[in-house]
Amino acid sequence: MFVRRKRNSSGSTSIQVVGKADGKYRVLKTFGCSHDEDILSDLEARARQWSKEHEYGEELFAPDGAAEYDAIFAGIGQDQLRLVGPDLIYGRLFDKIGFGSIKTADNELFKSLVVTRLYHPGSKLKTLRYMAYFMNRFYDEDKVYRFLDNLCWRPEETVRKSRADVKREVERVTYEQTCRVLGGSVAVVFYDTTTMYFESREDDVRVPGWSKDGKSANPQIVLGLLVGPGGNPIGYEMHPGNTYEGHTMIPIIEKLRKRFGFAKPTVIADAGLLSKENIRDLENEGYEYILGSRIRSQSDSFKAMVASLGLKNGQMATVPLTGSRRMVVTMSDARARKNAADREKGLKRLEKRFRTDSLTKDKLNNRGYNRFLTLSGDASIRIDYDKVNADASLDGYKGYTTNSTMSDNQIVEQYGYLFMIERAFRFCKTDLDIRPMYHRLYNRIEAHVCICFVAYTIMLELERILKDAGSSITLDRARFLAEKIYQIDYVNPYDKKHKSVLLHTKDQPEVTELLGIIKSHL
């Protein structure tokens, strides 16, 4: 295809685009004629632009060109249209954080399982069907389960074959990511546990225990999670379902601290991990700590002393304990209203049980609102309203046991960030569907948790990037937009392969913004 000047018999000059078809040259388009050189130059410019825009040549403009277009699109099948949004968003962050550098038996499969968990979580079989149908990625079911079997080690394994411990490498990458986000080493860590139940039979690891999901009849495992400020993950450990959570904290902190070489951090945990044994071990190991404290579980004399403080809303006070240990006590009117409302509900339940004669001596314990029960002189059980009034005097008070040199305000502020680890568990249980789990073998359970741990790290990084960019796009919206980005693969009439990303017209501005933000952080 080229532009030519043709001298006419009238003396004028025509500007034409000429192309070759069926071995012969023919005029594809005439742009006009003139005697004026300026006009001819303008016509030539228009002709060159037109030929550039129609680079495929004269065959596209042959009489049967429309039929060739129709043939192209008629030949496009479902296998040429695939979902690429999750890879463009989550897949890029997977590599950016460093997970792409981890060597596994199948790096592409590992990445696909993590990315799919972020936007379409489900069982492994459901995930495989989804990837095949929407992403044109086909994996054999048996191959996937063999991959899961070899992804992580069981702790007591002595023969580890010639494979890397992916869990260990994942924790290394997440720790390095946490240090990058914090701009330095880890000085404060937050620890908590949750439970994950199974829809299957129990064994030596999956056993019934105290469930945080209200599934006490189901076998479960206990998951301990250690994070830094902002909820940035450091590591995790799995334990049998009947493990006491208080015994899980110090081992994981010591193991990860020694592995990564950071100084002993200040440890922050909730009241469920407050025990004399834990406090003693933390102090013996030289750790500073901030632990939530249940004032109502203290001695009567201590509770009376706290009630006598007479704190007002927002005020705090320090109560010395033993050695370098102290308890910071705060007062909140909002918490007081909640305490009163909860107690009122508990009393109503107790009084209802009295009317149905369902209370026996075995109910004389300190579990919940049974602490208000007492045994009268005639060996009958009654509600002791003096205990109720004493309990009401503590409404609104909350305690923080610590040996830290931080100020009282800093103690309360740092403990407040513990919600980030609770948020991490909520993400894993709702957005990532980490439970219930349907795996039976330990290594597959460990692999499932590892995949979810990586996915949570990516989710947190995406949230941080969007926040830093001042974007109004939320995590939920990002997931929605990711499923709107498809790619079509086709071959033009000249056997040239092309790929084109398709964006939903309505959401294109947001998608463009999201992809631009991700690219700017790579």
Side-chain angles (χ1 to χ4, degrees):
M1 184 184 300
F2 60 91
V3 177
R4 78 172 182 182
R5 290 192 178 198
K6 180 178 179 298
R7 188 77 174 177
N8 300 319
S9 58
S10 64
S12 63
T13 302
S14 295
I15 303 299
Q16 300 172 332
V17 175
V18 179
K20 195 173 185 179
D22 300 327
K24 297 180 180 180
Y25 287 101
R26 54 189 293 269
V27 176
L28 300 179
K29 187 175 178 67
T30 299
F31 284 82
C33 61
S34 178
H35 294 84
D36 188 287
E37 183 60 32
D38 290 338
I39 295 176
L40 290 174
S41 296
D42 181 63
L43 291 174
E44 277 185 325
R46 288 167 54 194
R48 282 192 292 271
Q49 180 64 32
W50 184 90
S51 63
K52 185 176 181 181
E53 291 174 353
H54 298 76
E55 60 182 341
Y56 295 130
E58 64 275 7
E59 291 185 18
L60 288 178
F61 305 98
D64 60 347
E68 293 191 33
Y69 269 119
D70 293 340
I72 294 172
F73 289 103
I76 294 176
Q78 178 72 34
D79 58 337
Q80 291 170 268
L81 186 67
R82 62 189 180 93
L83 181 65
V84 296
D87 280 334
L88 293 177
I89 297 170
Y90 303 121
R92 288 173 173 176
L93 293 179
F94 179 95
D95 294 328
K96 170 186 178 292
I97 293 171
F99 294 120
S101 65
I102 298 176
K103 302 300 181 183
T104 68
D106 190 329
N107 289 3
E108 193 60 38
L109 176 56
F110 180 50
K111 183 177 181 179
S112 295
L113 290 173
V114 170
V115 169
T116 310
R117 175 64 50 178
L118 277 158
Y119 75 96
H120 194 78
S123 68
K124 299 303 180 290
L125 292 180
K126 182 179 177 182
T127 298
L128 293 182
R129 288 195 294 268
Y130 189 89
M131 287 195 294
Y133 192 82
F134 289 98
M135 307 178 77
N136 292 337
R137 290 180 182 167
F138 302 91
Y139 295 103
D140 180 73
E141 176 186 337
D142 291 335
K143 177 184 178 181
V144 172
Y145 283 119
R146 287 195 299 271
F147 173 78
L148 295 177
D149 288 337
N150 294 307
L151 188 65
C152 299
W153 297 339
R154 186 167 181 150
E156 63 270 21
E157 282 185 357
T158 55
V159 180
R160 295 176 173 176
K161 305 178 184 179
S162 58
R163 54 188 169 89
D165 184 351
V166 174
K167 174 184 180 296
R168 187 182 181 93
E169 286 299 294
V170 163
E171 288 177 328
R172 174 188 61 79
V173 171
T174 54
Y175 174 73
E176 292 172 355
Q177 166 70 5
T178 294
C179 290
R180 283 194 297 271
V181 172
L182 297 178
S185 61
V186 177
V188 177
V189 297
F190 302 82
Y191 181 77
D192 202 356
T193 63
T194 191
T195 57
M196 295 178 296
Y197 65 92
F198 295 79
E199 301 285 358
S200 57
R201 295 177 299 175
E202 63 181 90
D203 52 30
D204 57 336
V205 174
R206 302 173 300 167
V207 293
W210 188 82
S211 174
K212 297 187 178 184
D213 295 314
K215 298 282 186 178
S216 298
N218 294 66
Q220 65 178 24
I221 61 170
V222 174
L223 176 67
L225 180 64
L226 188 71
V227 305
N232 294 281
I234 300 174
Y236 69 92
E237 285 293 338
M238 285 170 35
H239 307 276
N242 58 356
T243 303
Y244 168 55
E245 63 180 352
H247 294 159
T248 65
M249 179 172 67
I250 297 177
I252 184 176
I253 296 173
E254 277 290 285
K255 181 178 72 173
L256 293 174
R257 185 186 67 80
K258 291 177 180 177
R259 184 194 303 171
F260 300 132
F262 57 91
K264 291 184 177 180
T266 299
V267 179
I268 302 177
D270 71 2
L273 295 162
L274 177 63
S275 68
K276 293 180 180 179
E277 182 181 1
N278 268 344
I279 291 177
R280 182 198 64 220
D281 291 344
L282 284 169
E283 291 177 345
N284 289 343
E285 294 292 338
Y287 284 96
E288 289 191 352
Y289 56 83
I290 303 171
L291 303 175
S293 181
R294 296 189 179 100
I295 295 177
R296 286 180 169 84
S297 299
Q298 306 297 321
S299 66
D300 290 341
S301 59
F302 187 88
K303 289 188 285 188
M305 184 270 295
V306 170
S308 68
L309 292 174
L311 298 180
K312 303 297 182 182
N313 183 49
Q315 292 183 336
M316 63 182 65
T318 294
V319 178
L321 298 176
T322 59
S324 61
R325 205 180 305 164
R326 75 186 195 272
M327 182 185 293
V328 178
V329 179
T330 63
M331 174 64 185
S332 165
D333 286 346
R335 190 185 304 122
R337 289 191 293 270
K338 184 179 185 303
N339 293 156
D342 290 344
R343 183 175 52 256
E344 184 65 24
K345 291 179 182 178
L347 279 173
K348 287 181 178 179
R349 286 196 295 268
L350 281 179
E351 291 166 350
K352 181 178 179 180
R353 289 161 67 188
F354 264 102
R355 292 193 296 271
T356 58
D357 296 324
S358 61
L359 288 175
T360 56
K361 289 183 180 180
D362 63 309
K363 303 298 181 184
L364 291 175
N365 53 54
N366 286 324
R367 296 175 185 170
Y369 294 101
N370 285 355
R371 65 183 183 272
F372 297 144
L373 299 177
T374 189
L375 190 65
S376 61
D378 58 356
S380 63
I381 298 175
R382 65 181 179 83
I383 298 176
D384 189 338
Y385 286 96
D386 289 336
K387 289 184 178 180
V388 173
N389 293 332
D391 188 86
S393 68
L394 296 173
D395 286 351
Y397 285 99
K398 182 174 179 60
Y400 309 87
T401 299
T402 183
N403 67 341
S404 173
T405 55
M406 296 182 190
S407 68
D408 290 356
N409 283 321
Q410 288 176 317
I411 295 295
V412 175
E413 180 184 5
Q414 288 295 327
Y415 187 87
Y417 295 131
L418 191 62
F419 85 93
M420 293 299 299
I421 198 168
E422 296 167 356
R423 182 171 178 258
F425 287 140
R426 187 171 66 253
F427 271 145
C428 289
K429 291 184 176 183
T430 56
D431 296 64
L432 303 178
D433 281 356
I434 195 172
R435 56 84 175 107
M437 288 191 281
Y438 301 95
H439 296 297
R440 177 179 60 85
L441 301 178
Y442 181 93
N443 282 28
R444 294 181 187 177
I445 297 170
E446 178 76 272
H448 173 75
V449 174
C450 182
I451 288 169
C452 292
F453 184 74
V454 173
Y456 168 70
T457 306
I458 294 172
M459 180 185 291
L460 203 66
E461 175 65 3
L462 175 58
E463 183 181 54
R464 186 187 69 82
I465 289 174
L466 292 174
K467 183 178 180 181
D468 288 350
S471 174
S472 61
I473 299 175
T474 63
L475 287 176
D476 285 341
R477 186 65 181 170
R479 178 162 57 182
F480 173 81
L481 295 174
E483 292 193 88
K484 293 279 190 175
I485 308 174
Y486 282 79
Q487 177 176 290
I488 186 170
D489 303 334
Y490 64 94
V491 179
N492 70 22
Y494 293 91
D495 293 327
K496 292 183 179 179
K497 295 182 179 180
H498 286 269
K499 298 178 180 180
S500 180
V501 175
L502 308 177
L503 303 180
H504 194 284
T505 305
K506 179 181 177 182
D507 300 313
Q508 185 169 349
E510 280 186 294
V511 172
T512 303
E513 176 192 350
L514 179 59
L515 293 177
I517 291 172
I518 298 299
K519 287 181 181 179
S520 68
H521 283 79
L522 296 180

